[in-house]
Amino acid sequence: MLQIMGGEDSPLRFYAARDRVVGFFANPDHNAAFLYSAIPFVTAWMIGVVHDRRQNRGISLFLLALLVVTIIIGVSVTHSRSGMALLFAAGLSSLL
């Protein structure tokens, strides 16, 4: 998000990509792939928290849900059509 806020001449833009967030990657599709591949891991972490018997697991579930929302926003900011499709597939397979 700092890449977009800094504009096209931002020192945080390591590669030339107009109106797209690329992170540390040269291609927005690669950045989206990095993000949507984290969905199954976060889902597995949520399952572990649900099976944990600690009292304050609600806070952990809230923070992990917030992480999923952040990942979804991150993929949508990359403007990667394949990233959005595969994000949907990763989310659907994680729900199963």
Side-chain angles (χ1 to χ4, degrees):
M1 292 184 180
L2 290 174
Q3 287 180 343
I4 287 181
M5 290 172 35
E8 290 185 17
D9 297 328
S10 172
L12 296 174
R13 287 187 179 264
F14 304 119
Y15 302 100
R18 291 184 169 199
D19 299 330
R20 292 185 174 206
V21 174
V22 294
F24 293 111
F25 302 98
N27 187 335
D29 294 329
H30 296 161
N31 188 23
F34 172 72
L35 290 171
Y36 68 70
S37 66
I39 295 288
F41 293 106
V42 174
T43 305
W45 195 357
M46 282 183 176
I47 291 169
V49 168
V50 166
H51 291 298
D52 197 5
R53 298 292 178 210
R54 295 184 188 168
Q55 291 180 347
N56 58 354
R57 64 182 175 182
I59 296 170
S60 299
L61 286 175
F62 173 75
L63 291 175
L64 289 171
L66 189 64
L67 179 60
V68 169
V69 169
T70 305
I71 290 170
I72 292 170
I73 291 170
V75 172
S76 65
V77 170
T78 63
H79 299 289
S80 171
R81 289 178 297 218
S82 62
M84 288 300 290
L86 291 170
L87 173 70
F88 179 73
L92 199 66
S93 63
S94 292
L95 287 177
L96 294 176

